[in-house]
């Protein structure tokens, strides 16, 4: 998404295209009306999108079951549980705790508050409050369940808040603590965090992009134009995604909606940097702003199209994933990138033309300031060059290309070794940077009840086989207790029943995982593989891990194959595409390795989100290859103009370095905004992609790809015509 060059001679910084005879510019009156027509069209688009953009949050789904494939074992359990009597229950656990041990007064306080909760809410039989003391006498665990809220999320949240107010009232500040945990509280706390993501992410992203544009353009006005246009693109993308969700069976999560926002702002700003830089140069050569913009679009348009197409197709590879959230992110992200493309190639040029040269104040490009300076491929190599930063970098790569390439490869390999230090899979308890009350309650229970799990494992199946399944569950190794749950009697023996199991080990530990697998194996051994299923929160996490492993095996090779085919078609070579693909894979490995060195020791994260390897791979390959595309295109153009291979590579680096570096910084900064969110999974993704973009911009593209091009010479373009 980042073919964002900015050099005075970037008129043809994309795949070489044959000159098409022009019929000449349109009549003066008509071309003056065209920008106004484009502006009016976008105003109409905004008017149509307005009623739908704000509804995207209404269709976002963030429960674990929504992420899982429909055929997953735990998904089957959740589906049956919803049909059982009280299926829409909200289950809580009240946790009373005193480090020195609960006193008689503490127990009376708990009894009084439990009675108040029971009086204020209609509790289910399963949720009849029965206090379970811990063996060390420090904790009371009180399960509470109700079907009052049903499926209404607002009513669920109101119930949880009401219980929390009841149990917090009248507490003395003498060491007794009470926390409300359980699946219902965790769901409410998670939903509350997700509801803040959109606003927080949008504000932070706008501020970061605004600051970077001000520093880049050094103008009090110019930065407002691309920022406003990318805002229009983001607004339109939200409306389009809402429409796509209505027309397709897609899961849109708060994570995918947030990533789409980052993509729109990152891609859109990069495209704006390319177009504005090219437009500024054309204004020095062309007296008319309309003609200058036409030339800028001819020069930068193909690069932007190739860039956005690569990213969109790479994201659409996620449609092959099993996990619903991954599969939904593909179209969502592609819609965002394409909206950014449309806005930057239509609305941004129209606004810039209407504002004229004065939008660049105080650094207004004057007509004729560039006269006498070549703008085509080959001219940059023939005119005196300034000793810029990228010229110095290219000089070192050109003098000792083998040494530079080897040193860079060793550095990336060493960083990739940090992947061995990555912490284990992220659990629900470690998913929040600021620990909510429900997670704190889970931690308290795990410490106070080490002899049993504090989170139920649910089994569902036909009522006719419930007794046999219950007996198997009770005799399964690792099970602390198993009791009948709800049932749904029906004629013809089609009723369904539930069994509630507690493991001996704490939730989401290796011991509990073995218990879940043993339960599933035992049910299959009893001939009930197609009838009885094992679910619950921990089983859902286990199924997420398995589906994620499947997706990595399928999607990662698919992304590489799609990107490689695109590169072969664009560069008309086999060697150059392979060099670029190897480079971006090395960047991903190094970025993940840096995550292993930082996540646990520095940031204190308790695990790695199960979707991080796949998402970071897709983004760094699809996004990272764009800078390589641009550099290779530029090298190819210089070679076609007659430059020797080494000179072509160094000239391409010198002439494209500045703005691509700016674009890389902008893109890395927009992804780094994810680190400001209160979710570990978003912070980890922001870190890996942001660091990867910087590595790609300032190490791989600048040194390694350039060194490889110098070393390989014309062999880089094998088997194309340039190899000769």
């Amino acid at each position: 998404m980042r073919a964002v060059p900015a050099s005075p001679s970037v008129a043809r910084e994309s795949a070489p295209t044959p000159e098409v005879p022009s019929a000449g510019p349109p009549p003066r009156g008509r071309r003056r009306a065209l920008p106004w027509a484009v502006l009016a069209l976008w105003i109409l688009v905004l008017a149509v999108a307005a009623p739908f953009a704000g509804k995207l949050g209404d269709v976002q789904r963030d429960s674990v079951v929504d992420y899982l494939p429909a055929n997953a074992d735990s998904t089957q359990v959740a589906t049956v549980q919803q049909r059982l009597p009280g299926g829409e229950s909200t289950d809580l656990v009240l946790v009373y705790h005193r480090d020195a041990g609960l006193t008689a007064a503490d127990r009376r306080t708990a009894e009084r508050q439990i009675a108040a909760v029971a009086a204020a809410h209609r509790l289910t039989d399963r949720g009849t409050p029965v206090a379970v003391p811990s063996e060390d006498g420090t904790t009371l665990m009180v399960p509470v369940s109700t079907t009052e809220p049903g499926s209404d999320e607002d009513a669920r949240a109101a119930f949880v808040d009401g219980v929390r107010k009841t149990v917090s009232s009248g507490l003395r500040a003498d060491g007794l603590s009470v926390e409300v945990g359980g699946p219902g509280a965790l769901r409410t706390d998670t939903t509350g965090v997700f509801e803040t993501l959109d606003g927080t992410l949008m504000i932070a992203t706008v501020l970061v992009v605004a600051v970077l544009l001000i520093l880049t353009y050094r103008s009090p006005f110019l930065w407002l134009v691309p920022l406003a246009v990318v805002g229009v693109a983001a607004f339109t993308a939200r409306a389009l995604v809402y429409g796509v969700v209505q027309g397709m069976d897609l899961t849109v999560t708060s994570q995918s909606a947030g990533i789409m926002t980052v993509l729109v702002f990152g891609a859109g700003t990069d495209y704006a940097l390319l177009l504005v830089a090219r437009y500024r140069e054309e204004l020095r050569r062309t007296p008319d702003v309309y003609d200058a913009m036409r030339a800028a679009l001819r020069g930068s348009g193909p690069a932007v199209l190739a860039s956005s197409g690569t990213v969109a197709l790479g994201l659409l590879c996620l449609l092959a994933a099993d996990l619903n959230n991954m599969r939904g992110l593909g179209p969502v992200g592609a819609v965002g990138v394409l909206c950014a493309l449309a806005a930057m190639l239509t609305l941004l040029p129209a606004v810039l033309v209407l504002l004229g040269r004065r939008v660049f104040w105080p650094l207004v490009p004057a007509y004729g300031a560039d006269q006498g300076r070549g703008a085509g491929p080959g001219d940059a190599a023939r005119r005196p060059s300034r000793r810029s930063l990228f010229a110095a970098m290219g000089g070192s790569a050109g003098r000792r290309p083998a040494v530079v390439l080897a040193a860079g490869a060793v550095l990336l390999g060493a960083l990739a070794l940090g992947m061995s230090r990555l912490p284990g899979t992220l659990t629900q308890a470690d998913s929040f940077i600021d620990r909510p009350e429900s997670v704190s309650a889970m931690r308290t229970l795990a410490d106070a009840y080490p002899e049993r799990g504090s989170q139920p494992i649910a089994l569902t199946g036909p009522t006719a086989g419930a007794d046999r399944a219950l007996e198997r569950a009770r005799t399964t190794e690792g099970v602390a207790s198993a009791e009948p749950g709800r049932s749904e009697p029906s004629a013809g023996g089609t009723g369904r029943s539930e069994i509630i199991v507690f493991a001996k080990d704490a939730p989401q530990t290796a011991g509990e995982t073995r218990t879940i697998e043993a339960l599933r194996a035992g049910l299959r051994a009893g001939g009930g593989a197609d009838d009885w299923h094992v679910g619950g929160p921990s089983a859902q996490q286990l199924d997420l891990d398995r589906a994620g492993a499947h997706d990595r095996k399928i999607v990662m090779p698919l992304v590489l194959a799609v990107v490689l085919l695109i590169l072969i078609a664009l560069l008309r070579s086999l060697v150059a595409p392979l060099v670029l693909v190897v480079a971006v894979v090395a960047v991903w490995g190094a970025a993940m390795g840096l995550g292993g060195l930082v996540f646990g020791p520095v940031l204190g994260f308790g695990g790695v989100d199960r979707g991080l390897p796949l998402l970071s791979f897709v983004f760094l390959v699809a996004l990272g290859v764009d800078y390589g595309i641009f550099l290779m295109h530029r090298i190819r153009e210089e070679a076609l103009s007659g430059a020797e291979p080494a000179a072509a590579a160094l000239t391409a680096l010198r002439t494209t370095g500045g703005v691509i570096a700016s674009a890389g910084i902008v893109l890395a900064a927009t992804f780094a905004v994810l680190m400001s969110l209160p979710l570990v999974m978003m912070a980890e993704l922001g870190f890996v992609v942001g660091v990867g973009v910087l590595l790609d911009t300032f190490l791989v593209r600048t040194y390694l790809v350039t060194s490889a091009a110098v070393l390989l010479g014309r062999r880089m373009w094998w088997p194309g015509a340039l190899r000769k």
Side-chain angles (χ1 to χ4, degrees), residues 427-428 442 446 450-459 476-480 501-520 534-543 545-546 610:
T427 65
Q428 282 183 305
M442 290 170 60
E451 76 284 356
R452 61 167 289 170
S454 57
Q455 190 164 261
I457 301 168
L459 281 61
T476 298
E477 185 178 357
V479 170
V501 175
F502 282 92
K504 294 179 180 178
D505 296 283
Q508 296 184 44
T509 59
E512 190 200 38
T513 297
R514 287 192 295 270
T515 301
I516 293 172
E517 291 174 339
L519 284 168
R520 287 176 171 172
V534 180
S538 296
Q540 291 167 0
Q541 299 299 318
L542 179 60
D543 289 342
D545 288 339
R546 290 177 174 172
R610 54 185 50 81

Side-chain angles (χ1 to χ4, degrees), residues 344-412:
M344 292 305 160
L345 291 187
T346 58
L347 181 58
L348 179 62
V351 174
L352 289 174
V353 167
L354 291 174
L355 293 175
R357 296 174 184 267
R358 59 185 177 276
V359 73
F360 289 92
W361 187 89
L363 304 176
V364 179
Y367 168 59
D370 209 30
Q371 295 297 319
R373 299 173 63 189
D379 292 327
R382 289 189 288 270
R383 64 174 179 260
S385 64
R386 294 171 294 178
R387 190 62 177 172
S388 67
L389 171 64
F390 287 95
M393 290 177 167
S396 62
R399 287 190 297 272
R400 299 179 180 85
V403 173
V404 170
L405 187 61
V410 169
L411 175 60
L412 291 177

Side-chain angles (χ1 to χ4, degrees), residues 245-292:
V245 172
Q246 299 304 309
M248 300 174 61
D249 184 21
L250 287 179
T251 297
V252 179
T253 67
S254 295
Q255 182 189 41
S256 58
I259 290 173
M260 182 190 71
T261 298
V262 169
L263 282 173
V264 173
F265 274 85
T269 305
D270 279 5
Y271 301 157
L273 286 169
L274 170 59
L275 179 63
V276 172
R278 189 68 187 91
Y279 177 52
R280 186 197 295 267
E281 297 305 322
E282 292 298 334
L283 286 174
R284 296 192 180 105
R285 306 184 186 102
T286 309
D288 184 79
V289 293
Y290 184 93
D291 292 336

Side-chain angles (χ1 to χ4, degrees), residues 208 212 270 627 660-670 693-694 697-698:
V208 167
L212 292 174
D270 279 5
Y627 283 159
I660 292 185
S662 299
I665 292 172
V666 168
L667 186 63
T670 53
V693 169
L694 293 178
T697 303
F698 293 102

Side-chain angles (χ1 to χ4, degrees), residues 429-524:
D430 293 322
S431 297
F432 304 89
I433 293 177
D434 297 321
R435 186 183 301 171
E437 182 179 334
S438 56
V439 173
S440 179
M442 290 170 60
R443 290 287 180 86
T444 302
L445 290 175
D447 293 338
Y449 299 85
E451 76 284 356
R452 61 167 289 170
S454 57
Q455 190 164 261
I457 301 168
L459 281 61
T460 61
T463 302
D467 292 340
R468 185 170 63 253
L470 178 61
E471 182 60 29
R472 283 188 174 276
R474 284 174 172 168
T475 58
T476 298
E477 185 178 357
V479 170
S481 65
E483 301 297 334
R486 298 165 294 170
S487 62
E488 178 192 37
S490 64
T494 58
R496 288 288 188 259
S497 293
E498 173 189 57
I499 296 173
I500 301 299
V501 175
F502 282 92
K504 294 179 180 178
D505 296 283
Q508 296 184 44
T509 59
E512 190 200 38
T513 297
R514 287 192 295 270
T515 301
I516 293 172
E517 291 174 339
L519 284 168
R520 287 176 171 172
L523 292 174
R524 293 190 188 97

Side-chain angles (χ1 to χ4, degrees), residues 102-394:
L102 295 171
T103 64
D106 295 339
R107 291 183 173 84
R108 288 194 296 271
T109 297
E111 291 172 0
R112 185 174 64 254
Q113 292 182 346
I114 293 167
V117 171
H121 304 280
R122 187 172 65 253
L123 303 182
T124 62
D125 292 340
R126 188 178 61 158
T128 300
V130 177
V132 181
S134 64
E135 289 186 359
D136 61 6
T138 63
T139 308
L140 276 180
M141 177 175 64
V142 187
V144 174
S145 182
T146 182
T147 58
E148 256 185 359
S151 60
D152 188 328
E153 289 295 339
D154 292 336
R156 286 177 186 266
F159 168 68
V160 174
D161 291 341
V163 172
R164 283 175 169 165
K165 289 178 181 177
T166 299
V167 300
S168 64
S169 62
L171 284 182
R172 303 182 305 277
D174 61 352
L176 175 65
S177 66
V178 57
E179 298 169 318
V180 178
L186 180 61
R187 181 171 177 172
T188 296
D189 289 342
T190 303
T191 301
V193 170
F194 279 123
E195 285 177 348
T196 65
L197 291 187
D198 278 353
T200 302
L201 185 61
M202 182 67 72
I203 293 172
T205 304
V206 168
L207 290 176
V208 167
V209 172
V211 169
L212 292 174
L213 286 176
I214 291 172
L215 293 176
T216 299
Y217 290 138
R218 292 171 290 169
S219 167
F221 307 113
L222 180 57
W223 65 275
L224 286 169
V225 178
L227 188 62
V229 172
V230 80
V232 170
F235 188 82
T236 306
R238 292 181 66 86
L240 282 176
V241 168
Y242 176 78
V244 169
V245 172
Q246 299 304 309
M248 300 174 61
D249 184 21
L250 287 179
T251 297
V252 179
T253 67
S254 295
Q255 182 189 41
S256 58
I259 290 173
M260 182 190 71
T261 298
V262 169
L263 282 173
V264 173
F265 274 85
T269 305
D270 279 5
Y271 301 157
L273 286 169
L274 170 59
L275 179 63
V276 172
R278 189 68 187 91
Y279 177 52
R280 186 197 295 267
E281 297 305 322
E282 292 298 334
L283 286 174
R284 296 192 180 105
R285 306 184 186 102
T286 309
D288 184 79
V289 293
Y290 184 93
D291 292 336
M293 182 55 72
R294 289 184 68 210
L297 286 171
R298 283 198 304 269
S300 60
V304 172
L305 287 170
S307 171
S308 59
T310 302
V311 177
L313 289 174
L315 287 169
L316 288 176
C317 291
L318 288 170
L319 286 170
D322 269 355
L323 288 174
N324 294 331
N325 62 315
M326 293 293 181
R327 191 165 60 249
L329 177 59
V332 169
V335 166
V337 170
L338 295 178
C339 283
L341 170 71
M344 292 305 160
L345 291 187
T346 58
L347 181 58
L348 179 62
V351 174
L352 289 174
V353 167
L354 291 174
L355 293 175
R357 296 174 184 267
R358 59 185 177 276
V359 73
F360 289 92
W361 187 89
L363 304 176
V364 179
Y367 168 59
D370 209 30
Q371 295 297 319
R373 299 173 63 189
D379 292 327
R382 289 189 288 270
R383 64 174 179 260
S385 64
R386 294 171 294 178
R387 190 62 177 172
S388 67
L389 171 64
F390 287 95
M393 290 177 167

